[in-house]
Amino acid sequence: MTAKSAAHTIATFARRHRLRPMEALPWVLAVAAYFVFPDYLALGAQILATLLFGLSADLVLGYAGIVTLGHAAFYGVGAYTAGYLAAHGVGSPIIGLIAAMVAAGAVGFISGLIILRTQGLSILMLTLVVCVMLQEAANKMTSITGGADGLQGMEVQPVLGMFRFDMYGHTAYWYALGVLFLGWAVTRTIVHSSFGRSLTGIRENVARMNAIGTPVFFRLVTIYTISAMLAGAAGALIAETTQLVALNVLSVDLSGTILVMIILGGVGRLYGAFIGVPLYMIAQDRFSTIDPTYWYFWIGLLLVLVVAFARGGILGMADAVLRRFKRSP
Amino acid sequence: MTASCALETKVLCKSFGALAVANAINFQLLPGARHALIGPNGAGKTSFVNLVTGVLQSTSGQILLDGEDVTRLSQAQRVKRGLARTFQINQLFRGLSVLENVTLAISEREGVAGNFWRPAGKRTAVVEEAYALLDKLGIADEALRAVRELAYGRQRLVEIAVALGLKPKVLLLDEPAAGVPSSETGTIIEVIERLDPTIALLIIEHDMELVFRIARRITVLVQGTVLVEGTPAEIAADPHVREVYLGERVTP
């Protein structure tokens, strides 16, 4: 082995975390969408908030390999926290956002301490149970949550005291985009760090991680908490921009939907959510207009096609195509 | 004398219901040892490794690392005290590159694996060390390939490389040549022969060629009990061993 190729190998490995030009694309598109589709900003803000939720789900599912059917628990806790504060005189969206992250993170930490001791199907069941329990609790505690009627009387103040939420969604869009950008920056830093790589190791082979001295349980609880905080932020964004919180934010249905979205895009790839979430939500918006009765069928068909023909989602398929192009000169 | 052992077990027992996989095992591994643990299938060799490393909790008895009682410590805590192992069936990060497999182990050893802001690729010292290790084992040319793309024999070398990345004082190799075509066994043996002589090495192996090439001491385990321990010559000549285990394997 020559010294030159050694240096080359190490440099290739070390270059992996650097920003590539392609990574600017989502942000360019998001800014462009603001000007191109001024009538769809409300939907746009929802997509951006859901994207943050998708990023948080990808951290646990795609990177750490924790199969969860209850990720909406944290999203919902975040949404109710921000909603409750706004309905009780604390209308600052930033404070609501931070409070939502703290509350969701606490729920993630405590439930993680119990759930993450188990593996496989048990995890799946326990995450689902946490989500169902929280939804049922929210349903019963009508004095706090408004129960089945939803949370009433939110009054969200202008962002930073300057930008009032308007009915066209201008402020909502930029606010959601800003928070998403911060969430992305944090997520990206984590997945390229030694901690993030060790999560991938846990996903690939727990037995070996134990054998190299990794405190696996502690790592999993840490990422579960961080992910819960990001999901909570996403929930707060939805609550603040729509000024509405109802029981569906805590539903198992939503927990499943977010998985479908990131699986469509490709899990464990950071950008899977950026493809899957907008695709799903735009398709949902279009299909439900074209075919209001059976729109879910078309979403289902899309998922079946992706799972059958594009393991690794749309990004995985794109990777495979690119590789083929590179090989054949 | 106890303190001078790199690894020692005292009356180590483990049973699953009525089945005793470890029956009062007294075992000593000296610093720098080249020790083999042999025995027929189901003798409890891998269970012994699992007990020592903490994958299994012992029913009774003691495990000492460098004279220190580690019986109640977790796997991770034992690794931190210098105990590393390989697996009979590869336990690797198959989707990750060879270099990354070793980097993960070194990051854990260095205590940087919990850091979530500094990019892993910027830890040049860790990556360079990982590369140097691969170079020493002759697999550096495949450093950037995913483990699952490698031939099984080379994957076995990665398995050893990951364990070596922990800079162990005690290394347990669980059938390092298992599943490797006989044409490639030589490479594995060479790698083991070239290991740092200060590492206390325990090899569990079925391949008698490998055992007799490497080991200077052999323990024979039968049904969870130590049958006999001695030098390779003594073991090869032992009538009990020939009867229960070696049988026709020993060439006349």
Side-chain angles (χ1 to χ4, degrees):
Chain A
M1 187 64 17
T2 63
K4 194 185 161 196
S5 67
H8 174 77
T9 304
I10 292 166
T12 308
F13 189 81
R15 223 180 290 127
R16 212 176 34 182
H17 63 272
R18 292 204 194 142
L19 272 170
R20 281 158 295 158
M22 269 293 272
E23 297 184 78
L25 188 64
W27 311 109
V28 172
L29 287 178
V31 171
Y34 175 81
F35 296 104
V36 180
F37 303 108
D39 299 336
Y40 286 94
L41 294 181
L43 174 65
Q46 278 193 41
I47 291 177
L48 295 172
T50 311
L51 233 159
L52 182 59
F53 185 31
L55 270 184
S56 78
D58 198 19
L59 269 182
V60 291
L61 177 73
Y63 285 91
I66 304 166
V67 184
T68 167
L69 259 183
H71 215 53
F74 314 123
Y75 178 84
V77 166
Y80 272 109
T81 305
Y84 183 83
L85 287 178
H88 291 79
V90 188
S92 159
I94 306 289
I95 290 176
L97 187 76
I98 292 169
M101 290 176 72
V102 171
V107 174
F109 177 71
I110 292 164
S111 64
L113 285 179
I114 302 161
I115 289 172
L116 298 168
R117 291 185 188 280
T118 64
Q119 277 169 359
L121 277 180
S122 308
I123 284 199
L124 197 75
M125 286 294 115
L126 287 173
T127 52
L128 191 141
V129 163
V130 167
C131 193
V132 172
M133 278 170 62
L134 282 173
Q135 190 181 30
E136 210 40 52
N139 188 24
K140 293 286 178 210
M141 292 192 292
T142 43
S143 59
I144 298 171
T145 62
D149 298 331
L151 194 65
Q152 308 289 329
M154 279 178 71
E155 276 178 40
V156 184
Q157 287 160 9
V159 181
L160 302 171
M162 286 186 285
F163 307 101
R164 186 164 291 284
F165 284 104
D166 54 286
M167 61 178 291
Y168 304 104
H170 295 281
T171 304
Y173 192 86
W174 288 114
Y175 177 52
L177 186 57
V179 174
L180 172 64
F181 185 80
L182 289 177
W184 165 82
V186 168
T187 309
R188 193 182 185 285
T189 306
I190 289 174
V191 301
H192 285 292
S193 70
S194 297
F195 171 75
R197 300 315 297 166
S198 83
L199 294 177
T200 311
I202 292 170
R203 181 195 70 203
E204 291 274 319
N205 197 331
V206 179
R208 175 55 97 170
M209 283 312 262
N210 280 319
I212 62 172
T214 308
V216 170
F217 175 67
F218 179 72
R219 294 267 160 84
L220 288 178
V221 171
T222 307
I223 194 59
Y224 202 63
T225 306
I226 292 171
S227 169
M229 290 173 79
L230 290 172
L237 277 183
I238 284 285
E240 290 167 353
T241 55
T242 61
Q243 316 230 347
L244 188 81
V245 184
L247 284 173
N248 68 321
V249 294
L250 281 169
S251 66
V252 171
D253 201 28
L254 179 62
S255 305
T257 305
I258 196 66
L259 293 193
V260 170
M261 291 187 200
I262 62 174
I263 289 167
L264 272 178
V267 289
R269 297 169 160 273
L270 190 61
Y271 290 101
F274 284 82
I275 305 276
V277 172
L279 181 73
Y280 184 101
M281 292 183 73
I282 293 168
Q284 182 182 27
D285 185 62
R286 293 290 88 199
F287 287 148
S288 61
T289 317
I290 301 164
D291 191 348
T293 327
Y294 296 112
W295 65 271
Y296 218 67
F297 168 81
W298 299 106
I299 297 270
L301 185 67
L302 193 62
L303 185 68
V304 169
L305 287 176
V306 164
V307 172
F309 297 109
R311 301 295 293 270
I314 291 165
L315 278 181
M317 190 165 62
D319 261 2
V321 170
L322 276 178
R323 233 176 290 133
R324 196 166 295 177
F325 264 106
K326 268 185 196 164
R327 242 175 244 163
S328 58
Chain B
M1 284 306 285
T2 314
S4 71
C5 281
L7 168 71
E8 183 175 12
T9 69
K10 288 180 178 169
V11 236
L12 189 66
C13 295
K14 173 70 185 179
S15 36
F16 297 104
L19 176 72
V21 293
N23 193 359
I25 297 179
N26 289 306
F27 178 83
Q28 292 191 330
L29 189 71
L30 301 172
R34 292 291 178 271
H35 201 130
L37 182 66
I38 64 173
N41 280 326
K45 304 185 294 292
T46 295
S47 295
F48 181 70
V49 171
N50 286 339
L51 283 169
V52 168
T53 53
V55 176
L56 292 175
Q57 278 298 320
S58 55
T59 312
S60 65
Q62 260 189 321
I63 302 160
L64 303 148
L65 262 180
D66 206 13
E68 203 182 336
D69 190 340
V70 298
T71 318
R72 296 285 153 229
L73 296 188
S74 72
Q75 281 188 74
Q77 288 167 317
R78 296 182 201 198
V79 173
K80 292 273 179 285
R81 282 169 173 69
L83 178 68
R85 71 172 293 184
T86 66
F87 292 84
Q88 186 179 349
I89 297 163
N90 281 344
Q91 297 285 355
L92 293 166
F93 314 112
R94 292 170 53 77
L96 307 184
S97 69
V98 173
L99 188 58
E100 180 125 49
N101 269 262
V102 180
T103 305
L104 282 174
I106 297 176
S107 301
E108 289 294 346
R109 188 198 80 214
E110 290 286 306
V112 300
N115 176 302
F116 43 77
W117 52 92
R118 187 152 171 224
K122 272 198 179 165
R123 298 195 180 273
T124 320
V126 170
V127 183
E128 279 174 355
E129 187 189 330
Y131 187 87
L133 185 53
L134 293 176
D135 201 19
K136 221 165 89 185
L137 267 54
I139 42 177
D141 51 333
E142 308 200 82
L144 291 178
R145 291 181 68 192
V147 164
R148 62 161 168 256
E149 294 171 12
L150 265 58
Y152 197 80
R154 311 215 92 192
Q155 289 189 22
R156 286 312 269 166
L157 292 176
V158 181
E159 180 84 21
I160 296 172
V162 171
L164 289 179
L166 301 169
K167 285 203 180 149
K169 290 187 214 131
V170 177
L171 177 60
L172 313 178
L173 299 176
D174 193 353
E175 298 200 27
V180 178
S182 50
S183 58
E184 291 173 35
T185 313
T187 320
I188 307 262
I189 295 178
E190 274 168 38
V191 163
I192 298 172
E193 280 178 332
R194 276 192 284 124
L195 288 179
D196 177 353
T198 61
I199 297 177
L201 186 69
L202 177 65
I203 305 177
I204 287 149
E205 191 50 76
H206 270 303
D207 186 321
M208 285 304 129
E209 185 202 342
L210 195 152
V211 168
F212 284 96
R213 277 271 297 274
I214 308 253
R216 290 195 289 271
R217 225 172 154 74
I218 297 176
T219 297
V220 183
L221 200 64
V222 176
Q223 290 177 358
T225 311
V226 175
L227 180 73
V228 60
E229 190 189 314
T231 64
E234 287 165 2
I235 297 298
D238 190 288
H240 289 293
V241 176
R242 298 177 75 98
E243 183 188 335
V244 301
Y245 179 53
L246 295 175
E248 299 154 5
R249 278 173 186 264
V250 176
T251 44

